[in-house]
Amino acid sequence: MERNDIKRYEDIIDLPHHVSSTRPHMAIADRAAQFAPFAALTGYGDAVNETARLTDERAVLDEDRKAEIDAALRAVKKNIGERPELSVTYFKPDDRKTGGSYITVRGAVKKADTDRRALVFEDGTEVPFDDIYGIKSCE
């Protein structure tokens, strides 16, 4: 501050800070919030983030891979009473956009439901037969 600025405020510079007798003291965090940016386009940021989110394309299985999966499913059905421990990789379609993601689930299989065409794990996870990309035994 220049000397002239100090002279202009000499009459008030040493006065105590004003404290309102009618309003409660506002916390610093609340005071800062009043200067937060205003979001004029509500939801726009979410839409941009959703568009930027990447998904995988479903791989097209060749006949050999399909045969391997079918053989593995037959073995699972045959040994279902033993609760086989499996690692299953499958394609899960995205709910919001084209594509999806590959997920690997590991656990004991409780049921091979032929009516619903899905493997049911003991934890309740269901994997549709048609979405299976690979099956490995964990035992």
Side-chain angles (χ1 to χ4, degrees), residues 37-49:
F38 172 69
L41 300 174
T42 304
Y44 179 73
D46 293 338
V48 168
N49 290 340

Side-chain angles (χ1 to χ4, degrees), residues 4-86:
N4 288 340
D5 289 339
I6 294 173
K7 277 188 171 193
R8 286 191 343 200
Y9 296 107
E10 275 181 348
D11 59 332
I12 63 169
I13 199 87
D14 292 323
L15 291 177
H17 179 74
H18 173 74
V19 177
S20 174
S21 59
T22 58
R23 302 208 181 253
H25 180 71
M26 182 183 282
I28 290 175
D30 293 336
R31 273 187 279 170
Q34 66 185 322
F35 299 105
F38 172 69
L41 300 174
T42 304
Y44 179 73
D46 293 338
V48 168
N49 290 340
E50 177 61 24
T51 303
R53 189 172 55 86
L54 299 176
T55 57
D56 295 324
E57 288 185 35
R58 183 189 297 257
V60 177
L61 303 180
D62 61 14
E63 295 304 316
D64 291 338
R65 174 61 72 94
K66 288 179 184 178
E68 287 174 23
I69 292 170
D70 286 341
L73 286 173
R74 282 194 300 275
V76 168
K77 289 176 191 175
K78 183 178 176 182
N79 299 317
I80 200 70
E82 299 170 15
R83 305 277 179 163
E85 184 85 16
L86 299 178

